[in-house]
């Protein structure tokens, strides 16, 4: 029998199911099995699929990754990474190492009554809430295979519930660290729900130790009730031999506001998808992103915004800064349904190439079935302005500093959209540093 790329995942899944069978509820065991069957049917995407044409993920995803069943904190690597990941000790913080929650490194300050910030594995053990329905994430889009794979191994992640009318005064920082030696994989699943009129800020940070390369396959599901307001940040700092595949799914109701701030600096190959469903009126969604691949890195950014109801506004700005032999991909889709009259949607993608060998593929898309809308999209690709460089050099600024100043200016409007001072300072330090991750 000829082995396929799915065999290693199937073997790991069989072991995982056996180990989880004693404690997992029956519905979860069935959900995992159905998801694994779905993944086996789909297989790892290839470049023959249009939405994966520029991203050959199969070469990395088909490696024999091993699911880590337990963690060891003895080496100190995880603690060193944690110090790099920390932004502010006043934040609520949940820490996960190799996909497993670490209670002694997590912190929860005083919170309003009814707020839930905990790890998913604990909620599963207590069989609380409507987890069965929420974890049954189905999609027919280009990320379906990796969503199925995540569901097959779903076990831990963050669960955040903010009750109606609650304004959380501290950000929630979710830190995911990969430190196990060897080729390992983890599948974080984050569930975030904000009640009517509530407000919160959430930060996701992903870091890993240099080594043989690992695979992070993450999903974040966000539900915003009427008039809810969420600031969501993602900082991807994976190590340079790793694979990072992730998707964020947002379901918004009337008058809710969602702001996404995505920043990608690490990983050999990173693909991040954001899918927004605007299922109500007077909704506002803002998607901002910055990706900065160097060396042989490839970063693939995908967004889809579905305008399903009238009178909604969306704003999208993605920028890429590429150096060396790096590759970038941006695909932004705006889908305006027939009932979504009075839609106002703006999308812009800009790329700055610092090397003759850097390549970016950009594909903005509009699909409109309503007739009373304002929709615009645009894409630009360019190099550093030689006249601006000359101007700075003529005033005594060194060439290296002049380049950094222009690069900083190019990226700054995305960074300045971040309202949390600790996050913004962290990003500014990266932009002014010659390395991907600044010293702390």
């Amino acid at each position: 029998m000829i082995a396929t790329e799915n065999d290693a995942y199937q073997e790991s899944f069989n072991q995982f199911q056996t180990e989880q069978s004693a404690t997992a509820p029956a519905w979860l065991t069935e959900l995992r099995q159905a998801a694994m069957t779905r993944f086996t049917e789909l297989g790892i995407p290839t470049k023959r699929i249009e939405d994966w044409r520029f991203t050959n993920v199969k070469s990395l995803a088909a490696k024999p990754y091993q699911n880590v069943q337990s963690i060891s904190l003895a080496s100190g690597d995880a603690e060193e990474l944690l110090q790099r990941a920390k932004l502010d000790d006043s934040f609520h913080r949940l820490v996960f190492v190799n996909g497993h929650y670490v209670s002694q490194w997590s912190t929860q300050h005083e919170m309003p009554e009814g707020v839930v910030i905990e790890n998913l594995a604990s909620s599963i053990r207590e069989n609380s809430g409507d987890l069965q329905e929420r974890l049954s994430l189905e999609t027919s889009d280009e990320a379906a295979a990796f969503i199925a794979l995540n569901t097959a191994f779903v076990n831990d992640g963050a669960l955040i519930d903010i009750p109606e009318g609650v304004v959380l005064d501290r950000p929630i920082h979710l830190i995911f660290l990969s430190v196990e030696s060897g080729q390992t994989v983890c599948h974080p699943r984050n569930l975030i729900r904000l009640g009517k009129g509530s407000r919160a800020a959430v930060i996701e940070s992903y870091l890993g130790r240099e080594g043989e390369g690992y695979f992070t396959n993450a999903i974040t599901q966000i539900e915003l009730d009427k008039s809810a307001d969420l600031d969501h940040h993602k900082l991807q700092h994976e190590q340079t031999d790793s694979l990072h595949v992730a998707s964020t799914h947002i379901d918004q109701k009337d008058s809710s506001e969602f702001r996404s701030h995505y920043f990608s600096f690490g990983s050999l190959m990173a693909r991040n998808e954001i899918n927004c469903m605007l299922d109500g009126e007077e909704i506002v969604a803002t998607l901002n992103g910055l990706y900065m691949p160097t060396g042989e890195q490839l970063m693939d950014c995908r967004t889809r915004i579905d305008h399903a109801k009238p009178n909604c506004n969306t704003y999208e700005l993605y920028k890429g800064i590429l150096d060396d032999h790096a590759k970038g991909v941006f695909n932004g889709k705006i889908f305006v349904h027939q009932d979504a009259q009075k839609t106002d949607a703006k999308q812009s993608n800009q790329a700055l190439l610092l090397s003759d060998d850097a390549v970016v593929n950009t594909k903005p898309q509009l699909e409109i079935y309503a007739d009373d809308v304002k929709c615009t999209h645009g894409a630009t690709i360019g190099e550093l302005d030689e006249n601006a460089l000359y101007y700075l050099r003529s005033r005594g600024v060194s060439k290296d500093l002049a380049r950094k100043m222009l690069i900083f200016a190019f990226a700054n409007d995305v960074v300045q959209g971040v309202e949390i001072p600790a996050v913004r300072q962290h990003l500014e330090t990266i932009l002014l540093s010659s390395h991907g991750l600044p010293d702390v």
Side-chain angles (χ1 to χ4, degrees):
M1 181 180 294
I2 299 174
T4 70
E5 68 271 7
N6 293 335
D7 288 348
Y9 288 109
Q10 185 65 59
E11 182 180 345
S12 182
F13 175 75
N14 293 340
Q15 180 183 357
F16 174 74
Q17 280 284 68
T18 300
E19 293 175 351
Q20 294 290 319
S21 60
T23 57
W27 65 262
L28 183 57
T29 300
E30 294 173 4
L31 176 67
R32 288 167 172 164
Q33 183 61 63
M36 191 63 198
T37 301
R38 174 69 170 153
F39 171 73
T40 302
E41 293 171 351
L42 293 170
I44 297 171
T46 69
K47 294 180 70 174
R48 290 192 297 271
I49 300 174
E50 174 62 25
D51 286 312
W52 293 85
R53 185 157 62 96
F54 300 112
T55 304
N56 182 18
V57 72
K58 190 169 184 178
S59 61
L60 286 179
K63 288 183 177 181
Y65 295 103
Q66 296 298 313
N67 193 53
V68 181
Q69 301 299 329
S70 61
I71 58 172
S72 172
L73 306 178
S75 68
D77 290 333
E79 192 164 8
E80 180 183 349
L81 284 174
L82 176 62
Q83 296 307 314
R84 291 190 181 187
K86 282 183 180 180
L87 296 170
D88 192 320
D89 284 333
S90 70
F91 295 173
H92 303 293
R93 184 168 62 238
L94 298 184
V95 179
F96 300 83
V97 176
N98 298 329
H100 298 274
Y101 176 63
V102 182
S103 59
Q104 62 264 42
W105 290 347
S106 302
T107 304
Q108 293 189 35
H109 303 278
E110 185 176 353
M111 295 182 293
E113 184 178 356
V115 173
V116 176
I117 303 174
E118 63 183 19
N119 68 306
L120 179 62
S122 296
S123 296
I124 291 174
R125 283 195 299 270
E126 297 166 5
N127 204 18
S128 58
D130 53 352
L131 289 180
Q132 181 175 358
E133 179 182 351
R134 295 173 73 182
L135 291 175
S136 301
L137 177 63
E138 295 183 5
T139 178
S140 59
D141 66 16
E142 54 269 19
F146 290 108
I147 290 173
L149 185 63
N150 178 285
T151 304
F153 288 92
V154 66
N155 185 51
D156 214 348
L159 189 145
I160 299 169
D161 267 318
I162 311 298
E164 178 179 336
V166 171
V167 176
L168 209 59
D169 61 352
R170 303 170 188 260
I172 304 167
H173 192 187
L174 312 178
I175 299 177
F176 299 89
L177 309 176
S178 294
V179 299
E180 194 72 20
S181 61
Q183 295 176 347
T184 59
V185 60
C186 63
H187 306 274
R189 176 71 70 94
N190 304 312
L191 304 178
I192 302 171
R193 181 163 56 191
L194 272 64
K196 183 178 179 180
S198 62
R199 180 168 185 169
V202 176
I203 307 158
E204 297 180 34
S205 293
Y206 294 83
L207 292 89
R209 184 183 73 172
E210 295 289 339
E212 299 178 49
Y214 57 88
F215 177 16
T216 301
N217 178 34
I219 295 176
T220 297
Q221 295 170 240
I222 297 170
E223 301 172 51
L224 302 182
D225 206 340
K226 294 179 179 180
S227 301
D229 186 305
L230 177 65
D231 235 1
H232 182 257
H233 309 73
K234 180 174 176 181
L235 311 177
Q236 190 273 109
H237 285 304
E238 303 276 25
Q239 62 104 330
T240 53
D241 288 330
S242 68
L243 169 64
H244 183 95
V245 177
S247 59
T248 302
H249 306 263
I250 305 98
D251 185 8
Q252 293 186 247
K253 302 304 181 185
D254 295 295
S255 302
S256 62
E257 292 194 27
F258 173 71
R259 290 171 299 281
S260 168
H261 312 274
Y262 172 63
F263 297 91
S264 182
F265 306 110
S267 190
L268 180 60
M269 184 180 297
R271 179 174 170 117
N272 192 76
E273 301 190 12
I274 299 178
N275 299 287
C276 288
M277 174 58 72
L278 279 58
D279 189 20
E281 297 192 37
E282 306 296 337
I283 291 172
V284 178
T286 302
L287 309 183
N288 291 332
L290 176 67
Y291 56 101
M292 296 178 60
T294 62
E296 302 291 334
Q297 288 178 293
L298 186 154
M299 294 181 180
D300 187 341
C301 303
R302 306 252 162 182
T303 65
R304 174 173 173 137
I305 301 175
D306 275 270
H307 285 261
K309 300 289 177 63
N311 303 304
C312 295
N313 298 339
T314 58
Y315 310 96
E316 184 172 3
L317 175 62
Y318 265 68
K319 290 193 172 187
I321 302 172
L322 300 89
D323 205 352
D324 305 321
H325 291 81
K327 294 181 175 62
V329 181
F330 174 79
N331 186 195
K333 300 178 183 178
I334 298 175
F335 192 103
V336 182
H337 296 249
Q338 187 173 358
D339 294 335
Q341 306 294 340
K342 304 295 183 183
T343 287
D344 188 350
K346 297 180 176 64
Q347 180 192 102
S348 178
N349 171 236
Q350 302 169 25
L352 179 64
L353 303 182
L354 304 179
S355 164
D356 292 338
D357 297 314
V359 176
V360 64
N361 294 283
T362 180
K363 186 181 180 182
Q365 293 178 266
L366 289 175
E367 196 166 337
I368 303 172
Y369 295 95
D371 52 18
D372 185 8
V373 301
K374 292 192 295 183
C375 296
T376 61
H377 66 87
T380 61
I381 300 172
E383 302 174 342
L384 286 176
D385 188 335
E386 291 296 332
N387 290 329
L389 276 173
Y390 177 79
Y391 176 84
L392 291 171
R393 295 294 307 280
S394 68
R395 269 122 184 102
V397 178
S398 69
K399 183 178 180 180
D400 182 58
L401 180 57
R403 282 171 55 87
K404 285 185 177 182
M405 290 173 66
L406 293 178
I407 293 169
F408 185 91
F410 176 79
N412 196 43
D413 51 351
V414 178
V415 174
Q416 290 305 307
V418 176
E419 296 183 357
I420 301 174
V423 178
R424 189 169 61 248
Q425 182 180 358
H426 174 76
L427 295 168
E428 289 172 348
T429 303
I430 292 173
L431 288 175
L432 294 175
S433 171
S434 59
H435 302 286
L437 186 66
D439 295 331
V440 289

